[in-house]
Coordinates of all heavy atoms in Angstrom, one line a residue:
Y1 N 8.9 0.7 2.5 CA 8.0 1.1 3.4 C 8.5 2.4 4.1 O 9.6 2.6 4.3 CB 7.8 0.1 4.5 CG 7.2 -1.2 4.0 CD1 8.1 -2.2 3.6 CD2 5.9 -1.5 3.9 CE1 7.6 -3.4 3.1 CE2 5.4 -2.7 3.5 CZ 6.2 -3.6 3.0 OH 5.7 -4.8 2.5
A2 N 7.5 3.2 4.5 CA 7.8 4.3 5.4 C 8.3 3.7 6.7 O 7.8 2.7 7.2 CB 6.6 5.2 5.6
D3 N 9.2 4.4 7.4 CA 9.8 3.9 8.6 C 8.8 3.5 9.6 O 8.9 2.5 10.3 CB 10.8 4.9 9.1 CG 12.1 5.0 8.3 OD1 12.3 4.1 7.5 OD2 12.8 6.0 8.5
S4 N 7.8 4.3 9.8 CA 6.8 4.1 10.9 C 5.9 2.9 10.6 O 5.2 2.4 11.5 CB 6.0 5.3 11.1 OG 5.2 5.6 9.9
M5 N 6.0 2.4 9.4 CA 5.1 1.2 9.0 C 5.9 -0.1 8.9 O 5.3 -1.1 8.8 CB 4.5 1.5 7.6 CG 3.2 2.3 7.7 SD 3.3 3.9 8.4 CE 2.9 4.9 7.0
K6 N 7.2 0.0 8.9 CA 8.0 -1.2 8.8 C 7.8 -2.2 9.9 O 7.7 -1.8 11.0 CB 9.5 -0.8 8.7 CG 10.0 -0.2 7.5 CD 11.5 0.2 7.5 CE 11.9 0.9 6.3 NZ 13.3 1.3 6.3
G7 N 7.6 -3.4 9.5 CA 7.4 -4.5 10.5 C 5.9 -4.7 10.8 O 5.5 -5.7 11.5
R8 N 5.1 -3.7 10.5 CA 3.6 -3.8 10.8 C 2.8 -3.9 9.5 O 1.7 -4.6 9.6 CB 3.2 -2.6 11.6 CG 3.8 -2.5 13.0 CD 3.2 -1.4 13.8 NE 3.3 0.0 13.1 CZ 2.3 0.7 12.8 NH1 1.0 0.2 13.0 NH2 2.4 1.9 12.2
F9 N 3.2 -3.3 8.5 CA 2.4 -3.3 7.2 C 3.1 -4.1 6.2 O 4.4 -4.2 6.1 CB 2.3 -1.9 6.7 CG 1.3 -1.0 7.5 CD1 0.9 -1.3 8.7 CD2 0.9 0.2 7.0 CE1 0.0 -0.5 9.5 CE2 0.1 1.1 7.7 CZ -0.3 0.7 8.9
T10 N 2.4 -4.8 5.3 CA 2.9 -5.6 4.2 C 2.2 -5.2 2.9 O 0.9 -5.4 2.9 CB 2.9 -7.1 4.5 OG1 3.5 -7.3 5.7 CG2 3.5 -7.8 3.4
I11 N 2.9 -4.8 1.9 CA 2.3 -4.6 0.6 C 2.6 -5.8 -0.3 O 3.7 -6.4 -0.2 CB 2.8 -3.3 -0.1 CG1 2.1 -3.0 -1.3 CG2 4.3 -3.4 -0.3 CD1 2.4 -1.6 -1.9
S12 N 1.6 -6.2 -1.1 CA 1.8 -7.3 -2.0 C 0.9 -7.1 -3.2 O 0.0 -6.2 -3.2 CB 1.4 -8.7 -1.3 OG 0.1 -8.7 -0.9
R13 N 1.0 -7.9 -4.2 CA 0.2 -7.8 -5.4 C 0.0 -9.1 -6.0 O 0.8 -10.1 -5.9 CB 0.9 -6.8 -6.4 CG 2.2 -7.3 -7.0 CD 2.8 -6.1 -7.8 NE 2.1 -5.7 -8.9 CZ 2.3 -4.5 -9.6 NH1 3.2 -3.7 -9.1 NH2 1.5 -4.2 -10.6
D14 N -1.1 -9.2 -6.8 CA -1.5 -10.4 -7.6 C -1.8 -9.9 -9.0 O -2.9 -9.4 -9.2 CB -2.7 -11.1 -7.0 CG -3.0 -12.4 -7.7 OD1 -2.6 -12.6 -8.8 OD2 -3.7 -13.3 -7.1
N15 N -0.8 -10.0 -9.8 CA -1.0 -9.4 -11.2 C -2.0 -10.2 -12.0 O -2.6 -9.7 -12.9 CB 0.4 -9.4 -11.9 CG 1.3 -8.3 -11.4 OD1 0.8 -7.4 -10.8 ND2 2.6 -8.4 -11.7
A16 N -2.3 -11.4 -11.6 CA -3.3 -12.2 -12.3 C -4.7 -11.7 -12.0 O -5.6 -11.8 -12.8 CB -3.2 -13.7 -11.9
K17 N -4.8 -11.0 -10.8 CA -6.1 -10.5 -10.4 C -6.1 -9.0 -10.5 O -7.1 -8.3 -10.1 CB -6.4 -10.9 -8.9 CG -6.6 -12.4 -8.7 CD -6.9 -12.7 -7.3 CE -7.2 -14.2 -7.1 NZ -7.5 -14.5 -5.7
N18 N -5.0 -8.4 -11.0 CA -5.0 -6.9 -11.1 C -5.2 -6.2 -9.8 O -6.0 -5.2 -9.8 CB -5.9 -6.4 -12.2 CG -5.5 -6.8 -13.6 OD1 -4.5 -7.3 -13.8 ND2 -6.4 -6.5 -14.6
T19 N -4.6 -6.7 -8.8 CA -5.0 -6.2 -7.4 C -3.7 -6.1 -6.6 O -2.8 -6.9 -6.6 CB -5.9 -7.1 -6.7 OG1 -7.1 -7.3 -7.5 CG2 -6.3 -6.6 -5.3
V20 N -3.6 -5.0 -5.8 CA -2.6 -4.7 -4.9 C -3.2 -4.7 -3.5 O -4.3 -4.2 -3.3 CB -1.8 -3.5 -5.2 CG1 -2.6 -2.2 -5.1 CG2 -0.6 -3.3 -4.3
Y21 N -2.5 -5.2 -2.5 CA -3.0 -5.3 -1.2 C -2.1 -4.6 -0.2 O -0.9 -4.4 -0.4 CB -3.1 -6.8 -0.7 CG -3.8 -7.7 -1.7 CD1 -3.2 -8.4 -2.6 CD2 -5.2 -7.8 -1.6 CE1 -3.9 -9.3 -3.5 CE2 -5.9 -8.6 -2.4 CZ -5.2 -9.3 -3.4 OH -6.0 -10.1 -4.3
L22 N -2.7 -4.2 1.0 CA -2.0 -3.7 2.1 C -2.5 -4.3 3.3 O -3.6 -4.1 3.8 CB -2.1 -2.2 2.2 CG -1.3 -1.5 3.3 CD1 0.2 -1.6 2.9 CD2 -1.6 -0.1 3.5
Q23 N -1.7 -5.2 3.9 CA -2.0 -5.9 5.2 C -1.5 -5.0 6.3 O -0.3 -4.7 6.3 CB -1.3 -7.3 5.2 CG -1.6 -8.0 6.6 CD -3.0 -8.3 6.8 OE1 -3.7 -8.8 5.9 NE2 -3.5 -8.1 8.0
M24 N -2.3 -4.6 7.2 CA -2.0 -3.7 8.2 C -2.2 -4.3 9.6 O -3.4 -4.7 9.9 CB -2.8 -2.4 8.2 CG -2.7 -1.7 6.8 SD -3.5 -0.1 6.8 CE -5.2 -0.6 7.0
N25 N -1.2 -4.5 10.3 CA -1.2 -5.1 11.7 C -0.8 -4.1 12.7 O -0.2 -3.1 12.4 CB -0.3 -6.4 11.7 CG -0.7 -7.4 10.7 OD1 -1.9 -7.6 10.4 ND2 0.3 -8.1 10.2
S26 N -1.2 -4.4 14.0 CA -0.9 -3.6 15.1 C -1.2 -2.1 14.8 O -0.4 -1.2 15.0 CB 0.6 -3.7 15.4 OG 1.0 -5.1 15.7
L27 N -2.4 -1.9 14.4 CA -2.8 -0.6 14.0 C -2.9 0.4 15.2 O -3.2 -0.1 16.3 CB -4.2 -0.6 13.3 CG -4.1 -1.0 11.9 CD1 -5.4 -1.5 11.3 CD2 -3.5 0.1 11.0
K28 N -2.5 1.6 15.0 CA -2.5 2.6 16.0 C -3.5 3.7 15.7 O -3.8 3.9 14.6 CB -1.1 3.2 16.1 CG 0.0 2.2 16.4 CD 1.4 2.9 16.3 CE 2.5 1.9 16.5 NZ 3.9 2.5 16.5
P29 N -4.0 4.4 16.7 CA -4.9 5.5 16.5 C -4.4 6.5 15.4 O -5.3 7.0 14.7 CB -5.1 6.1 17.9 CG -4.8 5.0 18.8 CD -3.7 4.2 18.2
E30 N -3.1 6.8 15.4 CA -2.6 7.7 14.4 C -2.7 7.2 13.0 O -2.3 7.9 12.1 CB -1.2 8.1 14.8 CG -0.2 7.0 15.0 CD -0.1 6.6 16.5 OE1 -1.1 6.7 17.2 OE2 1.1 6.3 16.9
G31 N -3.0 6.0 12.9 CA -3.2 5.4 11.5 C -4.6 5.7 10.9 O -4.9 5.3 9.8
T32 N -5.4 6.4 11.7 CA -6.7 6.9 11.1 C -6.5 7.8 10.0 O -5.9 8.9 10.2 CB -7.5 7.6 12.2 OG1 -7.8 6.6 13.3 CG2 -8.8 8.1 11.7
S33 N -6.9 7.4 8.8 CA -6.6 8.2 7.6 C -7.5 7.7 6.5 O -8.1 6.6 6.6 CB -5.2 8.0 7.1 OG -4.3 8.5 8.0
V34 N -7.5 8.4 5.4 CA -8.0 7.9 4.1 C -6.8 7.2 3.4 O -5.8 7.9 3.3 CB -8.7 8.9 3.2 CG1 -9.1 8.3 1.9 CG2 -9.9 9.5 4.0
Y35 N -6.9 6.0 3.0 CA -5.9 5.3 2.4 C -6.1 5.2 0.9 O -7.2 4.8 0.4 CB -5.7 3.9 2.9 CG -5.1 3.9 4.3 CD1 -5.8 4.3 5.4 CD2 -3.7 3.5 4.5 CE1 -5.2 4.4 6.7 CE2 -3.1 3.5 5.7 CZ -3.8 3.9 6.8 OH -3.2 4.0 8.0
Y36 N -5.1 5.6 0.1 CA -5.2 5.7 -1.4 C -4.2 4.8 -2.0 O -3.1 4.6 -1.6 CB -4.9 7.1 -1.9 CG -5.8 8.2 -1.4 CD1 -5.5 8.8 -0.2 CD2 -7.0 8.5 -2.1 CE1 -6.4 9.9 0.3 CE2 -7.8 9.5 -1.6 CZ -7.5 10.2 -0.4 OH -8.3 11.2 0.0
C37 N -4.6 4.1 -3.1 CA -3.6 3.5 -3.9 C -3.3 4.3 -5.1 O -4.1 5.1 -5.6 CB -4.0 2.0 -4.3 SG -5.3 1.9 -5.6
K38 N -2.1 4.1 -5.6 CA -1.6 4.9 -6.8 C -0.9 3.9 -7.7 O -0.1 3.1 -7.3 CB -0.6 6.0 -6.3 CG -0.1 6.9 -7.4 CD 1.0 7.8 -7.0 CE 2.3 7.0 -7.1 NZ 3.5 7.9 -6.9
A39 N -1.1 4.1 -9.0 CA -0.4 3.4 -10.1 C 0.5 4.3 -10.8 O 0.1 5.4 -11.2 CB -1.4 2.8 -11.0
R40 N 1.7 4.0 -10.9 CA 2.7 4.7 -11.7 C 2.9 4.0 -13.0 O 3.5 2.9 -13.1 CB 4.0 4.8 -11.0 CG 5.1 5.6 -11.7 CD 5.0 7.0 -11.5 NE 6.2 7.8 -12.0 CZ 6.2 9.1 -12.1 NH1 5.1 9.8 -11.8 NH2 7.3 9.7 -12.6
Y41 N 2.3 4.5 -14.1 CA 2.2 3.8 -15.3 C 2.6 4.7 -16.5 O 2.1 5.8 -16.7 CB 0.8 3.4 -15.6 CG 0.5 2.5 -16.8 CD1 1.1 1.2 -16.8 CD2 -0.3 2.9 -17.8 CE1 0.9 0.4 -17.9 CE2 -0.5 2.1 -18.9 CZ 0.1 0.8 -19.0 OH -0.1 0.0 -20.0
W42 N 3.7 4.4 -17.2 CA 4.3 5.2 -18.2 C 4.5 6.6 -17.7 O 4.1 7.6 -18.4 CB 3.4 5.2 -19.5 CG 3.5 3.9 -20.2 CD1 2.7 2.8 -20.1 CD2 4.4 3.5 -21.2 NE1 3.1 1.8 -20.9 CE2 4.2 2.2 -21.6 CE3 5.5 4.2 -21.8 CZ2 4.9 1.5 -22.6 CZ3 6.3 3.5 -22.7 CH2 6.0 2.2 -23.1
N43 N 5.1 6.7 -16.5 CA 5.4 8.0 -16.0 C 4.3 8.9 -15.6 O 4.4 10.1 -15.3 CB 6.4 8.8 -16.9 CG 7.8 8.2 -16.9 OD1 8.2 7.6 -15.9 ND2 8.5 8.3 -18.0
Y44 N 3.1 8.4 -15.6 CA 1.9 9.1 -15.1 C 1.4 8.4 -13.8 O 1.5 7.2 -13.7 CB 0.7 9.1 -16.1 CG 1.0 10.1 -17.3 CD1 1.6 9.6 -18.4 CD2 0.5 11.4 -17.2 CE1 1.8 10.5 -19.5 CE2 0.7 12.2 -18.2 CZ 1.4 11.8 -19.4 OH 1.6 12.7 -20.4

């Protein structure tokens, strides 16, 4: 995790459902953003 997210955000995945999650708690106004997921697959 990025330092500013440690303790508040949790990333997890369910490979059976082909899904990754981001649980975000104690959200702050500076958390206003577009959130993107990225797959690193065969170096792409």
Side-chain angles (χ1 to χ4, degrees):
Y1 299 89
D3 288 343
S4 61
M5 274 63 113
K6 286 180 181 176
R8 298 187 299 118
F9 290 12
T10 303
I11 188 171
S12 62
R13 66 190 296 163
D14 185 339
N15 286 343
K17 295 183 178 179
N18 290 352
T19 302
V20 63
Y21 305 97
L22 184 68
Q23 177 67 44
M24 305 185 293
N25 299 328
S26 302
L27 282 161
K28 303 176 182 179
E30 53 264 39
T32 296
S33 297
V34 178
Y35 285 73
Y36 299 90
C37 73
K38 186 192 82 172
R40 180 85 170 165
Y41 187 64
W42 286 94
N43 289 328
Y44 284 91

